[in-house]
Amino acid sequence: MSPAELFSLPFMQRALIAALFTGLAAPAIGTYLVQRRLALMGDGIGHVAVTGVAIGLLTGWSPTWTAVLVAAAGAIAIEVIRERGHTNGDVALALLFYGGLAGGVLLTGIGGQSASRLQEYLFGSLLTIGISDVIVTMVLATVVVVVALGLAPQLFAVSHDREFARVAGLDVRVYNLLVAVLAAVTVTVAMRTVGLLLVSALMVVPVATAQQVSRSFRATLVGAMVLGLVASVGGLALAAVASYRVNVAPGPSIVLLALAMFAVTWPVGVWLRHRSRRVAPFADEPLGHEVSDDHDHREHDHGPDCGHLAVPHDDHVDYVHDGHRHAKHGAHYDEH
Amino acid sequence: MRLSPVEVSDGAVAIGGRPVLRGIDLTVAPGEFLALMGPNGSGKSTLVRAMTGLRPLSRGQVTLFGTPLAEFRDWRRVGFVPQRSSAESGVPASVWETVSAGRLTRRRLLRPLGAADRRAITSALELVGLADRARDGVGTLSGGQQQRVLIARALAGEPELFLLDEPTAGVDALNQRALADALRGLKDLGATVVLVAHELGPIAPLVDRAVVMRDGRIEHDGELREQDLSHHDHHHRRAGAGAHALRVSAPLDGLAGGPAEGRRP
Ligand SMILES: Nc1ncnc2c1ncn2[C@@H]1O[C@H](COP(=O)(O)OP(=O)(O)OP(=O)(O)O)[C@@H](O)[C@H]1O
Ligand SMILES: [Mg+2]
């Protein structure tokens, strides 16, 4: 079967649509989690959602909806514990995480479901996404993206400086709970593509990648969404193509592709930060008139094409070389 | 008569059971420029935070523009500059984005920034001298520049009442003068200012009323006194040689006019 035929199969198209929406929604809400330094919250919610899935499997209700409910309840509990600021808040969170995971596995056993049924949710499953799953994914992911972008000024302010946001009249608690519930929805949306145990990676890794090269929140948010889209659709395609030879689950391939993009961007980020520090204009310093005399400039005239870094300094340009800042002054150069 | 922008009556604050503020009665008149002074830990920040509702009172009450704090909703009238930003951001934010948060009191949900918002943000950035850094990440600025970003954020909301907690800490002399000019402009427009400062510097001429705190109580309320101006001098100013030496007053000191402290350049 050629790749073209493979991608025209209905189940493959359903999976691609799910991956596309998930790839956009997960980093959108992930940006706010990273901003509040809650990068692992998605992981915690994912663990709690396992119990939700198990309840669905046990009762015969839709595992997606039971997972949404239980994950949202877990996310709200995490947010409340965080807000109360208990000294051992992280221990309470850990109890919730492992309680969720253990409860899910236990319930699945009681229900007599085979482990493979739960595994579909833990690591994602391409083949089992039905048409109704795709529609639910599309609707929920759209809600997440619309809220994350539409309320961006408010959500940004609340996560950026909680106290200022309160004095600006924003209801900080409502916005925090909104982010928590949206994160829970995102986790359940993503569980069919990347799986509950890897969903947090899709929420966090594209954000970490985007902020290597961005200076603003908005650029980080939009960049992370684009990267998430590329990672999830690309990872799914890679997994599908590779499945001719070996059995590759899409979840791991999506996450590994996202990590590869981070690895590629990291040196770029280091270089960009280095460069922006060097080309920042030199300001607020009195101009010295210390004639440069430690080396000869007769063979070299600084100029636009001399190859040395040119940095604006007040009304003139300094040329940086070998740790010096040289500014032309008549026939000689001054040290600036 | 216009309502008092902020009024504290019989206010007390306890943090963790320990009384931090006691018996605070303070009525700020419209258009007044009030300097809140006092040593470290005397409760200045706590009082300002109580005025914003960030620190609940254990007794007494705060009213903003005649409305008790619990019912107050008109936050566009209040601008707050915290002593330290509670920002804990794990994602970069640009100067522009941070300052535009100051417009949230005036923006409705799901509306993009309007022309008036952009104008207010730009002019706030110009006032604090950071217009050319608008696109830079806040994290790449120096401490004093970040302080100026927080001032711009409050200015951008065009409030009537400014609550500024040590806005000039770590800001250089040139920018302190620029800030003083900005505050003078606000004062001329009729804004009310409550400003916490250890060293007033170029702001001193603007001050109508000084409130000095000590141990959670108001110790002095009235004119700006000479001793408050110079009280903290030697902690902050780079002392010249001998400035810390014990000074034995010479018989002629009194004749030269004023206390010795006041004459230090
Ligand atoms: N979060 C807190 N937890 C416990 N005690 C606090 C807290 N904040 C303030 N305090 C106490 O309240 C008292 C007043 O503090 P406050 O911050 O109001 O002082 P300040 O006058 O603003 O001092 P500074 O000049 O250092 O800013 C101090 O004794 C301090 O120990
Ligand atoms: Mg203080």
Side-chain angles (χ1 to χ4, degrees), chain B residues 15 18 20 39-46 55 83 166 198:
Chain B
I15 301 179
R18 208 169 68 95
V20 172
N40 290 140
S42 57
K44 307 179 297 295
S45 297
T46 307
R55 192 52 92 189
Q83 182 166 18
E166 303 210 24
H198 283 283

Side-chain angles (χ1 to χ4, degrees), chain A residues 53-73:
Chain A
V53 170
I55 291 174
L57 293 178
L58 188 63
T59 57
W61 297 329
S62 155
T64 305
W65 290 110
T66 51
V68 167
L69 291 180
V70 174

Side-chain angles (χ1 to χ4, degrees), chain A residues 31 34-37 150-151 153-154 156-157 160-164 166-170 175 207 211 214-218 220, chain B residues 49 52-54 75 78 80 85-94 97-98 101-102 104-105 107 109-110 135-137 153:
Chain A
T31 307
V34 174
Q35 196 196 8
R36 306 154 183 236
R37 303 196 178 284
L151 293 182
Q154 283 78 16
F156 166 79
H160 183 68
D161 190 338
R162 200 159 48 88
E163 302 205 324
F164 181 81
R166 266 196 63 182
V167 179
L170 299 180
Y175 284 105
V207 182
Q211 55 170 291
S214 67
R215 286 182 299 176
S216 72
F217 183 80
R218 185 217 285 262
T220 310
Chain B
R49 288 162 59 82
T52 61
L54 287 172
W75 289 105
V78 181
F80 173 53
S85 168
S86 58
E88 41 180 75
S89 186
V91 171
S94 71
E97 286 171 327
T98 308
L104 281 177
T105 51
R107 284 171 69 185
L109 286 181
L110 301 174
R135 303 282 154 207
D136 288 350
R153 181 174 64 174

Side-chain angles (χ1 to χ4, degrees), chain A residues 200-227:
Chain A
S200 193
L202 194 54
M203 298 169 92
V204 170
V205 178
V207 182
T209 310
Q211 55 170 291
Q212 292 296 319
V213 294
S214 67
R215 286 182 299 176
S216 72
F217 183 80
R218 185 217 285 262
T220 310
L221 179 61
V222 174
M225 289 174 69
V226 171
L227 290 166

